[in-house]
């Protein structure tokens, strides 16, 4: 739904930069022999030569259009070069074009606030840069103006014959122009410089629109292509919109635009000027009615959002005609492939940009066989996103199953899927300081820092649970992404592994007696270090065993004293679960604690079984008889068995 936002009081300079036939340009840069030849990029499939997704200007001269199939394009233009989009996982792989688009964005972002709207288009807020230019080197004092600037199309500037460049020069040099037009003149110079820099560094051409808001700038960038730019002064806004078809305006291409044509008889944006704000609000509500009244006058307060990265990740696949998916297994196969790609992209975003997605959404288009009832749309379904390919696949299949049940209702008839897409949205920066339970177990405490091996564990992980409020049946809250399998393998192979001899341990405690495999992991491994603390514990345990072997009885007071000595040598003191549900442990004078309420129990299921058992003890500490102290440290698991 469009939102009515008032324009700020101060004048702005907004530019919209749009790449020219971008996919074709990327392929031509990769293969320079294609330059100058009629070229199109095709998403290949066996049906009629595949669909065209980009058509070069040389091919357009022959009448080739994006709506055509490859076979039809060849009939119209026999010499056309059809370049197939790279394929991965059975579908188009657009990474080549995404990466090329990032090259352009990095250049454009040097002059002002930059909003990446898609792979090949960008909004720029150049207000500050234009104000600075106007105060330091205003256009009217420039002796030399770049030729690319003089090629600009300035709306409302009447040009006859070949005198456009001279007319543009005069417009730029006007000393009596108002402040808004002077800012636009500075904006035209800045955009021309940026476009030339993009061409020089990437070999790509682009077109630009310069105006006082995003709406007008986007309209202007499409007016003169390729490799040109258009300026929209305030005085020419009314004439621009007067003849603009409503369907050409952003957000009026669907039902709202059709309603304006049928209900109000408004075929152009200018036709809306005849209706009062109250009349439009009566028909379409206060917000939409106000928005329609504003855009008919060229008013739009939408701000350029400083965003160089996409606000969502998505991948999809269409199955037209006979390719429609008609079995659950075939749908599941494609859902898994799409989820595999999505997981790779969001993980890359997390690793490179420290951004995390919170919501997983499945969209589909479907039909029912022999359906006599009115067509019901396949409902989109969402749930909190859990990182990990298998988890995303599991949740996406559940979303599809839920959507299919809603789509079919009580009917037991055949169905078909013609389109599937999976998206990850609600992306936000990873909070500073975010860490997991492993943070407390990785040797971060100074006394336990290991000089070898431990550094590999020092990585911040995802939050323990998602705070997203999206609900969906069958999906669980996002798990913590800690890569447990790799971690368990790393722990198992660590050179400073703690290995107690079976014989001394036999009489120390019943818990250790149950764990007979020397190589099994324990939570103690997270406390290992290269200093003498763990060697001290080993020596104390061995000494304790020797003392037991030489004596038939072991006084309880001596036992308690010796264990305290072990505690002191190793650096552990008492640990306890307080009344607020915090597990606290002191080591070498440093306190670390865990709030039980912040631990997602589902995370524990993926840890090694031995560690699971020990951590679960923190949730439900066992009752111990004849204990002189409240709580226990991990060393007390190894207390000797009393002889009956």
């Amino acid at each position: 739904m469009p939102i009515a936002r008032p324009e700020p009081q101060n004048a702005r300079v907004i530019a919209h930069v749009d790449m020219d036939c971008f996919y074709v340009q990327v392929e031509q840069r990769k293969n320079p022999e294609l330059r100058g030849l009629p070229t199109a990029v095709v998403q290949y499939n066996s049906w009629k030569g595949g669909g065209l997704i980009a058509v070069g200007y040389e091919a357009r001269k022959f009448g080739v259009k994006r709506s055509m199939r490859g076979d039809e394009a060849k009939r119209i233009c026999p010499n056309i070069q059809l370049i197939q989009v790279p394929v991965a996982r059975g579908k188009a792989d657009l990474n080549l074009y995404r990466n090329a688009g990032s090259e352009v964005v990095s250049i454009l972002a040097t002059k002002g606030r930059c909003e990446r709207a898609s792979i090949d288009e960008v909004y720029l807020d150049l207000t500050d840069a234009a104000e600075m230019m106007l105060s330091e080197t205003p256009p009217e004092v420039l002796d030399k103006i770049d030729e690319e600037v003089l090629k600009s199309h300035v709306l409302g500037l009447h040009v006859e014959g070949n005198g456009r460049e001279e007319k543009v020069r005069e417009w730029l040099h006007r000393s009596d122009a108002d402040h808004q037009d002077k800012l636009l003149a500075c904006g035209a110079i800045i955009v021309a410089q940026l476009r030339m820099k993009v061409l020089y560094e990437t070999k790509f051409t682009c077109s630009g629109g310069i105006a006082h808001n995003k709406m007008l700038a986007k309209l202007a960038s499409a007016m003169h292509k390729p490799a040109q730019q258009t300026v929209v002064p305030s005085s020419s806004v009314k004439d621009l919109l007067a003849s603009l078809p409503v369907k050409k305006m952003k957000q009026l291409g669907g039902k709202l635009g059709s309603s304006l044509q049928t209900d109000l008889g408004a075929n152009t944006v200018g036709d809306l000027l005849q209706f009062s704000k109250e009349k439009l609000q009566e028909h379409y509500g206060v917000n939409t009615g106000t928005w329609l009244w504003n855009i008919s006058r060229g008013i739009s307060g939408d701000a350029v959002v400083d965003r160089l990265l996409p606000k969502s990740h998505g991948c999809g696949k269409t199955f037209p005609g006979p390719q429609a998916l008609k079995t659950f297994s075939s749908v599941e196969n494609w859902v898994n492939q799409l989820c595999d790609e999505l997981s790779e992209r969001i993980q890359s975003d997390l690793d490179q940009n420290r951004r995390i997605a919170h919501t997983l959404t499945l969209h589909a288009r479907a039909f029912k066989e022999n359906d006599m009832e009115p067509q019901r749309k396949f409902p989109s379904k969402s749930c909190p996103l859990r990182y990990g390919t298998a988890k995303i696949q599991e949740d996406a299949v559940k979303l599809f199953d839920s959507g299919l049940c809603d789509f079919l209702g009580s009917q037991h008839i055949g169905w078909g899927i013609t389109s599937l897409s999976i998206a990850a949205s609600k992306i936000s920066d990873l909070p500073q300081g975010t860490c997991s339970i492993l943070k407390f177990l990785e040797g971060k405490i100074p006394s336990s820092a290991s000089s070898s091996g431990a550094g590999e564990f020092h990585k911040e992980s995802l939050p323990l649970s998602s705070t997203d409020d999206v609900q969906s049946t069958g999906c669980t809250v996002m798990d913590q992404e800690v890569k447990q399998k790799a971690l368990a393998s790393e722990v198992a192979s660590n050179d400073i592994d703690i290995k107690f001899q079976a014989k001394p341990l036999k009489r120390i405690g019943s818990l250790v007696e149950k764990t007979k495999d020397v190589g099994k992991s324990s939570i103690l491994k997270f406390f290992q270090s290269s200093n003498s603390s763990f060697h001290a514990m080993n020596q104390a345990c061995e000494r304790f065993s020797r003392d037991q072997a030489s004596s038939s009885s072991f006084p309880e007071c001596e036992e308690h004293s010796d264990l305290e000595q072990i505690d002191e040598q190793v650096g552990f003191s008492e640990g306890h679960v307080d009344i607020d549900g915090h597990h606290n442990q002191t080591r070498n004078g440093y306190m670390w604690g865990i709030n039980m309420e912040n631990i997602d129990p589902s995370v524990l299921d993926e840890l090694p079984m031995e560690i699971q058992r020990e951590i679960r003890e923190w949730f439900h500490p066992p009752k111990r008889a004849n204990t002189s102290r409240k709580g226990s440290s991990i060393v007390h698991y190894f207390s000797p068995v009393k002889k009956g």
Side-chain angles (χ1 to χ4, degrees), residues 239-349:
D239 292 338
L240 169 64
L241 299 177
S243 58
L244 182 71
V246 292
K247 290 285 189 176
K248 293 290 185 180
M249 179 69 77
K250 185 179 180 180
Q251 296 184 312
L252 292 182
K255 293 181 179 179
L256 181 55
S258 299
S259 175
L260 292 175
Q261 292 174 324
T262 57
D263 298 339
L264 299 183
N267 295 311
T268 67
V269 176
D271 291 341
L272 294 175
L273 290 172
Q274 62 185 298
F275 301 101
S276 66
K277 184 183 295 186
E278 292 73 22
K279 182 70 171 179
L280 294 173
Q281 290 175 343
E282 179 184 338
H283 274 78
Y284 300 104
V286 174
N287 180 69
T288 302
T290 303
W291 179 80
L292 290 170
W293 189 88
N294 285 344
I295 66 164
S296 66
R297 290 158 177 79
I299 300 172
S300 175
D302 292 343
V304 174
V305 180
D306 198 358
R307 183 179 67 239
L308 305 183
L309 300 169
K311 56 185 177 182
S312 64
H313 295 288
C315 48
K317 175 74 174 177
T318 58
F319 310 95
Q323 299 179 35
L325 308 178
K326 298 184 178 182
T327 64
F328 194 88
S329 60
S330 62
V331 171
E332 184 176 11
N333 173 60
W334 274 106
V335 165
N336 288 341
Q337 293 191 56
L338 294 175
C339 289
D340 187 30
E341 177 184 348
L342 182 65
S343 178
E344 180 180 296
R345 288 171 58 187
I346 63 174
Q347 187 61 50
S348 175
D349 195 4

Side-chain angles (χ1 to χ4, degrees), residues 51 165 187 270 291 302 379 396 398 406 428 452 463 474 521 579 597 599 604:
E165 292 188 10
W291 179 80
D302 292 343
K398 290 179 180 177
D406 291 350
S428 61
S452 64
S521 300
I579 60 175
E597 295 179 355
I599 297 180
L604 302 183

Side-chain angles (χ1 to χ4, degrees), residues 353-373:
N353 308 309
R354 290 186 56 78
R355 300 198 313 159
I356 180 172
H358 293 280
T359 302
L360 177 70
T361 304
L362 180 140
H363 302 280
R365 291 180 181 175
F367 64 86
K368 302 175 186 176
E369 294 182 352
N370 304 319
D371 185 16
M372 302 302 295
E373 297 182 2

Side-chain angles (χ1 to χ4, degrees), residues 380-391:
S380 297
K381 294 288 183 177
S382 299
C383 72
L385 188 149
R386 302 187 297 158
Y387 274 68
T389 302
K391 296 174 185 176

Side-chain angles (χ1 to χ4, degrees), residues 123-290:
Y123 287 103
L124 300 171
D125 189 333
L126 303 174
T127 306
D128 292 343
E131 290 280 10
M132 182 178 295
M133 176 182 288
L134 188 58
S135 63
E136 296 177 355
T137 55
E140 60 261 30
V141 303
L142 296 177
D143 295 330
K144 183 179 180 181
I145 297 179
D146 191 83
E147 181 181 357
E148 194 62 31
V149 181
L150 298 177
K151 292 180 181 179
S152 301
H153 299 266
V154 181
L155 298 187
L157 197 62
H158 301 289
V159 179
E160 296 180 0
N162 297 324
R164 178 156 59 89
E165 292 188 10
E166 195 58 38
K167 284 285 187 179
V168 172
R169 187 191 303 274
E170 293 175 3
W171 184 83
L172 294 170
H173 278 158
R174 289 183 306 158
S175 59
D176 60 343
D178 61 25
H179 185 69
Q180 288 188 345
D181 280 359
K182 287 183 178 181
L183 285 179
L184 285 181
C186 295
I189 295 173
I190 295 171
V191 171
Q193 293 172 346
L194 289 172
R195 289 177 44 244
M196 289 300 98
K197 189 174 182 180
V198 168
L199 178 62
Y200 177 76
E201 295 188 13
T202 69
K203 311 304 180 186
F204 298 144
T205 66
C206 54
S207 300
I210 304 100
H212 292 304
N213 59 51
K214 292 172 69 175
M215 177 187 73
L216 296 173
K218 182 173 178 62
L219 289 173
S221 66
M223 295 183 69
H224 299 94
K225 292 174 75 71
Q228 301 179 70
Q229 63 183 45
T230 304
V231 183
V232 186
S234 299
S235 58
S236 62
V237 172
K238 183 176 180 180
D239 292 338
L240 169 64
L241 299 177
S243 58
L244 182 71
V246 292
K247 290 285 189 176
K248 293 290 185 180
M249 179 69 77
K250 185 179 180 180
Q251 296 184 312
L252 292 182
K255 293 181 179 179
L256 181 55
S258 299
S259 175
L260 292 175
Q261 292 174 324
T262 57
D263 298 339
L264 299 183
N267 295 311
T268 67
V269 176
D271 291 341
L272 294 175
L273 290 172
Q274 62 185 298
F275 301 101
S276 66
K277 184 183 295 186
E278 292 73 22
K279 182 70 171 179
L280 294 173
Q281 290 175 343
E282 179 184 338
H283 274 78
Y284 300 104
V286 174
N287 180 69
T288 302
T290 303

Side-chain angles (χ1 to χ4, degrees), residues 375-419:
Q375 187 68 21
R376 179 189 298 179
K377 292 180 63 177
F378 193 100
S380 297
K381 294 288 183 177
S382 299
C383 72
L385 188 149
R386 302 187 297 158
Y387 274 68
T389 302
K391 296 174 185 176
I392 296 176
Q393 290 172 340
E394 176 187 351
D395 290 345
V397 170
K398 290 179 180 177
L399 292 178
F400 175 80
D401 189 34
S402 175
L404 184 62
C405 290
D406 291 350
F407 178 67
L408 295 178
S410 59
Q411 296 176 310
H412 298 282
I413 58 176
W415 49 269
I417 300 297
T418 58
S419 174

